[in-house]
Amino acid sequence: MDYSLILLLLPLLVLAIGAVWYIVLIIADWKIFVKAGEAGWKSLIPFYTAYIQYKLFWNTCFFPVFLISYLILFIYQLADITSPASALLCIGNSMVSLVLHVISTHKMSKAFGHGIGFTLGLLFFEPVFSMILAFGDSQYQGPQ
């Protein structure tokens, strides 16, 4: 059996699945923004999207959290991971980013009237639960 064809087609399959994944997320994010009272096009600009999400889903003082999360990502990009201290910084940075992502996802879930179960769905099955949130009966209730 000739495995060279399989090795050639496998990356294309992964690329196609990734493209479909992101197209579904773009459509869902657009609709979620519209449901929350924002223009859908704001979901297309990466840094601005994050800013609008913090504004919509965090209760008070969202801007410092937004700045801290992006400062963490900026420090991560500058770190030289060849030294042990920098490697620890990168690991800590990743952990903080993960925690902020989980909290933000839960806040989004609560802003649409859902609980921890829906948050777990958004974390582990993001395209499916984003589409449910976007096209389902969920109504934006504001930051909780």
Side-chain angles (χ1 to χ4, degrees):
M1 177 170 211
D2 186 21
Y3 292 106
S4 61
L5 182 62
I6 293 171
L7 290 175
L8 178 66
L9 293 179
L10 190 61
L12 294 176
L13 178 65
V14 170
L15 184 65
I17 291 170
V20 168
W21 178 286
Y22 283 110
I23 289 170
V24 167
L25 288 178
I26 287 169
I27 293 167
D29 283 347
W30 185 294
K31 182 67 175 163
I32 288 169
F33 272 44
V34 169
K35 270 188 168 184
E38 292 288 338
W41 65 265
K42 292 179 180 180
S43 68
L44 300 176
I45 305 168
F47 186 77
Y48 192 52
T49 298
Y51 172 76
I52 297 298
Q53 285 174 338
Y54 277 101
K55 186 176 92 169
L56 290 173
F57 306 133
W58 289 75
N59 198 357
T60 56
C61 301
F62 72 92
F63 195 69
V65 175
F66 171 74
L67 287 178
I68 289 169
S69 66
Y70 271 89
L71 180 64
I72 288 169
L73 290 174
F74 181 71
I75 291 170
Y76 179 76
Q77 295 298 323
L78 293 179
D80 174 23
I81 60 169
T82 56
S83 72
S86 295
L88 286 175
L89 176 67
C90 289
I91 291 169
N93 211 345
S94 297
M95 289 179 168
V96 170
S97 294
L98 177 66
V99 167
L100 281 174
H101 176 68
V102 170
I103 292 170
S104 295
T105 302
H106 185 60
K107 287 186 175 288
M108 180 172 73
S109 179
K110 288 185 66 118
F112 281 94
H114 297 286
I116 190 71
F118 203 85
T119 301
L120 292 172
L122 280 169
L123 288 170
F124 294 110
F125 305 105
E126 186 178 11
V128 174
F129 278 79
S130 291
M131 292 299 275
I132 291 169
L133 193 62
F135 294 102
D137 295 334
S138 302
Q139 296 296 319
Y140 179 69
Q141 301 170 0
Q144 302 296 311

